[in-house]
Amino acid sequence: LDIEFTQADLAEVHFLKAQYYALHLEFLKALTSYDRAISLKYENAKVYQNRGHIHYKLANYSLALTDYQRALDLGAPPIALYKNMAQSAYLSQDYDSAIRNYSALIKLQPTFEHLQNRALSYLQVDNKADARKDLQACLNLLKTKILDQEDIPLQESLSQIETALSQLAEPAE
């Protein structure tokens, strides 16, 4: 039996091996296989996004951020990537990048969680004015949800946001 494999075939094998290892929580083996697939010119968004997840799980947040950006450049859906990029940036203490990525995410999906996380990022760079705006937006979202759904856990979140807002000094005019 004489079978010839192309470089693309071998790259696909390494990509599939990486996915298998990731599913079985063997992250270092997964990382090695993703690296090998990329070295064989396996250029698609999914390989970078998946390798970014592995870097994230291994607390290599700067490397995760780089892979997520590459996946975005290659056309991966932006919502999940902006969230992953923002979280990776925050955890690597690159708060300006976290703010940029949360801002891009909020333009696409302005949720309580994203606004709250951007507010936390603003606080890390001592930008209380923008943190206050985001917390106020969180408060408004919660009030709307409470009025629409009368959900008790949301009422608890509302109290927490009101407390956080009261603890932030009014910005000087």
Side-chain angles (χ1 to χ4, degrees):
L1 184 62
D2 190 19
I3 299 175
E4 288 187 36
F5 290 101
T6 67
Q7 185 172 331
D9 293 331
L10 292 174
E12 181 74 17
V13 167
H14 285 289
F15 177 73
L16 293 171
K17 280 174 58 177
Q19 290 182 293
Y20 172 84
Y21 290 137
L23 280 171
H24 291 87
L25 307 179
E26 296 184 56
F27 299 130
L28 293 176
K29 287 181 179 180
L31 187 59
T32 300
S33 290
Y34 283 128
D35 289 344
R36 185 72 179 127
I38 290 169
S39 75
L40 292 168
K41 307 297 184 224
Y42 195 76
E43 287 285 316
N44 70 42
K46 198 68 178 164
V47 71
Y48 285 100
Q49 185 173 1
N50 289 357
R51 190 175 72 170
H53 294 331
I54 299 300
H55 282 305
Y56 186 91
K57 289 182 181 297
L58 294 171
N60 299 328
Y61 303 118
S62 295
L63 294 173
L65 187 58
T66 300
D67 277 351
Y68 290 144
Q69 182 61 56
R70 182 72 179 126
L72 189 64
D73 294 343
L74 289 170
I79 291 177
L81 283 171
Y82 282 133
K83 182 177 180 178
N84 293 342
M85 291 166 66
Q87 290 172 331
S88 296
Y90 187 90
L91 291 169
S92 65
Q93 300 180 352
D94 183 356
Y95 302 116
D96 291 329
S97 179
I99 291 166
R100 276 193 310 278
N101 285 294
Y102 278 123
S103 295
L105 179 58
I106 289 165
K107 285 181 184 177
L108 299 172
Q109 193 178 61
T111 67
F112 173 86
E113 175 192 1
H114 304 148
L115 287 160
Q116 182 182 35
N117 287 337
R118 186 173 68 179
L120 292 172
S121 300
Y122 279 133
L123 289 174
Q124 294 296 328
V125 295
D126 203 32
N127 183 341
K128 291 179 182 176
D130 284 331
R132 174 178 280 284
K133 288 177 192 174
D134 279 354
L135 290 173
Q136 188 64 49
C138 286
L139 186 63
N140 293 338
L141 280 174
L142 285 175
K143 285 179 183 176
T144 301
K145 286 188 177 209
I146 289 170
L147 293 175
D148 290 347
Q149 300 171 5
E150 296 194 27
D151 190 340
I152 300 304
L154 289 175
Q155 290 177 354
E156 293 169 13
S157 295
L158 182 62
S159 294
Q160 291 173 354
I161 294 295
E162 285 179 322
T163 300
L165 278 169
S166 69
Q167 292 174 353
L168 283 174
E170 286 289 333
E173 297 292 324

